[in-house]
Amino acid sequence: QVQLVESGGGLVQAGGSLRLSCAVSGGTFSRYHMGWFRQAPGKEREFVGAIRWTYGNSDYADSVKGRFTVSRDNAKNTVYLQMNSLKPEDTAVYYCAADSADYYSGYVKSAYDYWGQGTQVTVAS
């Protein structure tokens, strides 16, 4: 059974930074495309960023491009989301997700097979 556990959320002032981690167990992490999504109160869950298992190329939503970075450590079965220059509108529950398909679907929520429980990020103005 594949499990994803996020950590690293919290309260930060605008302009600050946080690094989220997502530890994956029970599967072949090195063969998963990994994504980060977020959901603010009253809004749909939206794509933040993703990283392929092949070559480690990453993609980002326009709203976070240049501020957020997705990385992975296959030796630790962990994917990270480094968030810099945080804004109040980044406040949300952040979820990591794993896609076991060979082809990469990036921002497509339905492509992801496994999800974590989420971690709250609150950015104070």
Side-chain angles (χ1 to χ4, degrees):
Q1 184 177 357
V2 179
Q3 291 187 319
L4 286 69
V5 179
E6 300 99 335
S7 61
L11 173 65
V12 64
Q13 293 293 316
S17 299
L18 279 176
R19 188 177 80 155
L20 305 184
S21 300
C22 172
V24 180
S25 61
T28 309
F29 176 79
S30 61
R31 293 295 300 269
Y32 293 154
H33 306 299
M34 297 299 300
W36 286 95
F37 292 79
R38 67 186 182 186
Q39 188 166 19
K43 294 189 176 181
E44 295 285 324
R45 191 171 299 187
E46 65 175 7
F47 172 73
V48 174
I51 186 166
R52 296 165 172 79
W53 69 263
T54 50
Y55 309 113
N57 304 69
S58 53
D59 299 283
Y60 300 93
D62 287 343
S63 59
V64 306
K65 203 171 292 184
R67 300 188 297 124
F68 290 12
T69 303
V70 180
S71 61
R72 64 190 299 156
D73 186 336
N74 288 345
K76 295 183 178 180
N77 287 359
T78 300
V79 62
Y80 303 97
L81 179 66
Q82 177 67 44
M83 305 185 293
N84 298 328
S85 302
L86 281 160
K87 304 175 181 179
E89 51 264 42
D90 294 318
T91 295
V93 177
Y94 282 71
Y95 299 88
C96 67
D99 173 6
S100 62
D102 287 338
Y103 55 89
Y104 172 69
S105 299
Y107 62 88
V108 180
K109 269 185 301 186
S110 59
Y112 290 85
D113 307 292
Y114 309 105
W115 291 81
Q117 82 289 350
T119 187
Q120 176 71 47
V121 172
T122 303
V123 184
S125 56

